[in-house]
Structure formats: structure tokens, C-alpha cells
Amino acid sequence: MSRVLDPLRAFVAKDAQADRVVPPSGFTAQLTVFAAGAMAFLVVFALALSLAAGRLAERWGAELGRSATIRITATEDQQGAQTEAALAILATTRGVAQARALSDEEQAALLAPWFGNGLALDALPVPQLIEVIETAEGMDATGLRLRLAAEVPGAVLDDHSRWRAPLVQAADRLRTLGAVSILLIAAVTAAMVTLAANAALAANAQVIAVLRLVGATDAYIANAFIRRFTLRTLLGAGGGMVLGMLAVLLMPSGGDETASFLTGLGLRGWHWLLPLLIPPLAAGVAFLATRRAARRTLEGLS
């Protein structure tokens, strides 16, 4: 534990003389700040993607899991009677909270994306649809299918399980992809900071040799590089986080008619607090990466 806490205490205790070991400008400074800002910006979007995919999976699982559809295909003179018979069966079926036949306007609205508005349903052999909402405990789909087959030959029950599972699985995979992306971004950040720290250490090899001659320890020298690169990463990640949150905030939220996965990528509620963790976590990654790079480089210069 002391091997971790001692460098951390040295980092917190600011030493102006040690800070002068690392040049305040140069390409390593711009590289570190830019890389940290760009990675933080991407993390905000990966986080929004992962959270949106999680919300989508939960919504699809909850809403589609409690709904079903009965499709009645019959001649025009029999369709009304079969619809009434199906509704009577549903009224006595355990686990059914609500059942209603969709109106012609509602069915036309469902077909509008394919056939356009103003569709005349009497011009097409459109089946009658019945919307079924289940209770929390659910219904016996197999038993209901048997009753419908015996009493309403033209009725077909669709409990959405055939296409609900792939949708929920796809949303879960998107959530996993977002989490993996965050881990990869953290790894890339560590690699970029390591490269920048190695370049700064190599460029200051003569300065390090002089500091050793006057009695400076390797821990003292390493702390100067650790502090400078950690603060650069913290600054860059903070700026990238702010820009990422602004970009997410400006994304369209969508309404009832346009709501979809792409218009629901924004953060919701307390999720807006999660991006605030990005700068300190990025600084922690930079601290560990620079500490390791400094240790290896100083050992190589011995």
C-alpha cells in the first residue's frame, strides 16, 4: 500500500522546483492535452450510447413483454363476429388486463409508413387486429392459442416473443459495446500519455543526469513528470467532457412521433453526473501510466 500512497503524497505536495524539471511547453504538452480532451469527448458519447441502449433494452423488454396481438383473418361478413368472439374469450382469460380491437384509423396509421396516408382499408384484405395487454403475472399463451383455434378459427395470437428477444439482445450488445469502448478509450489514453511521458523524459535526459549529480533522487525527478502530465490530462479531459456534454445536450430529443433509438441518446436524470467522473478517472490513468513510464525510463538512464 505504501508503494502507491507515497507517490500520491508526493504528487499532492506541490514542489515548484520539481515542477521546473518538465518544460512547460512543447509538443508533449499539446499532445497530452489534445489526446485527453479527444478521449474524454468520445467517452461521453460511448457512455450515452451504453446508457441509451440499456434504457432501450429495458423499455422493449417491459413494454413488449406485457403486450400481444391477435390477428383475425376472415371474410368481411364473418370478421365482426369472430372479433367479438375473440374479445369474449380474452375477457375470461386469466392474465389479460385489457383487450380492444383497433379502429380502422389506428390500423391505417400502422400501415401508413408502407402504403402512405389516406389508405382505404376496404380496398385491401386487411385483417382485424386486437391489442392485448397482460397483467404483471402474464397469461398462458399456449392455452389461449388452443381456445382461439377451437372457437375462433381465423384468429392468430402473436405474443411478440419471436422478434422481441432479438431486439432486446441487440440492445444489450450495444450496451456492452459502449462499455468495451470506454475501456478501449482508457487504454488508448494510457498509451498516449505513456508515449508523451517517454518523449519528455528522453528529451530531458541531460537535465536528469545533472539533477542526479546534485543529489536529486529518482522519486523526486519522477514526481515532477507525474504531476505535470497528470494535470495536463486532467485539464484536457475536463475540456473534452464539457464539449461532449454540450454536444449530447444539443442532440434532438424526439417527440412521440419521432422517438427512436437515435433520438434518445441523451443522458437522463442523474446520468448527467456520470461524465463528471471522467476527468478524475483520466487523471488517475495518467498518474499510473506516467509513474510506470518514469520508473522504466529512469532505470534505463542509470
Side-chain angles (χ1 to χ4, degrees), residues 250-287:
L250 294 176
M251 292 187 67
S253 59
D256 294 337
E257 297 181 355
T258 60
S260 65
F261 174 69
L262 293 179
T263 57
L265 284 178
L267 300 172
R268 299 286 186 270
W270 66 270
H271 290 164
W272 282 103
L273 299 177
L274 293 178
L276 299 179
L277 299 176
I278 296 175
L281 290 178
V285 170
F287 177 87

Side-chain angles (χ1 to χ4, degrees), residues 16-299:
Q17 295 296 329
D19 288 345
R20 295 175 184 174
V21 173
V22 184
S25 61
F27 80 95
T28 56
Q30 287 80 9
L31 176 63
T32 305
V33 174
F34 174 77
M39 295 300 104
F41 186 86
L42 294 177
V43 167
V44 173
F45 277 94
L47 184 63
L49 171 67
S50 181
L51 293 174
R55 291 194 302 268
L56 190 67
E58 292 176 1
R59 185 168 69 248
W60 282 348
E63 293 181 358
L64 297 180
R66 296 185 56 229
S67 65
T69 303
I70 293 179
R71 183 177 70 253
I72 298 178
T73 303
T75 59
E76 185 176 355
D77 57 334
Q78 296 181 352
Q79 192 173 74
Q82 293 204 14
T83 301
E84 293 297 329
L87 290 173
I89 293 174
L90 293 171
T92 59
T93 299
R94 184 178 180 180
V96 175
Q98 179 183 354
R100 67 181 186 90
L102 298 185
S103 64
D104 292 344
E105 292 76 13
E106 290 175 317
Q107 295 195 170
L110 293 175
L111 296 174
W114 291 271
F115 297 99
N117 296 320
L119 175 66
L121 294 183
D122 54 2
L124 295 173
V126 178
Q128 174 65 55
L129 299 181
I130 297 178
E131 180 186 42
V132 181
I133 305 299
E134 302 179 31
T135 59
E137 62 270 13
M139 64 180 183
D140 181 9
T142 302
L144 179 57
R145 284 192 178 93
L146 293 175
R147 289 188 63 187
L148 291 174
E151 302 181 35
V152 188
V156 176
L157 173 65
D158 182 5
D159 60 359
H160 304 160
S161 59
R162 182 166 51 93
W163 55 277
R164 179 186 66 205
L167 290 177
V168 175
Q169 185 180 27
D172 287 334
R173 288 183 178 179
L174 280 175
R175 178 166 51 184
T176 303
L177 178 62
V180 172
S181 299
I182 293 175
L183 295 178
L184 290 177
I185 291 171
V188 171
T189 302
M192 294 297 295
V193 172
T194 300
L195 290 175
N198 285 333
L201 287 163
N204 290 275
Q206 295 181 351
V207 176
I208 293 173
V210 172
L211 289 173
R212 282 174 167 173
L213 288 176
V214 298
T217 63
D218 286 352
Y220 178 86
I221 299 171
N223 182 64
F225 287 91
I226 293 172
R227 170 181 284 276
R228 181 61 59 84
F229 280 93
T230 301
L231 292 179
R232 288 172 179 174
T233 303
L234 181 64
L235 176 63
M241 176 207 68
V242 172
L243 293 177
M245 293 180 70
L246 288 175
V248 172
L249 182 63
L250 294 176
M251 292 187 67
S253 59
D256 294 337
E257 297 181 355
T258 60
S260 65
F261 174 69
L262 293 179
T263 57
L265 284 178
L267 300 172
R268 299 286 186 270
W270 66 270
H271 290 164
W272 282 103
L273 299 177
L274 293 178
L276 299 179
L277 299 176
I278 296 175
L281 290 178
V285 170
F287 177 87
L288 296 176
T290 309
R291 179 167 171 253
R292 184 177 182 183
R295 180 186 300 174
R296 288 187 174 183
T297 302
L298 291 174
E299 290 175 356

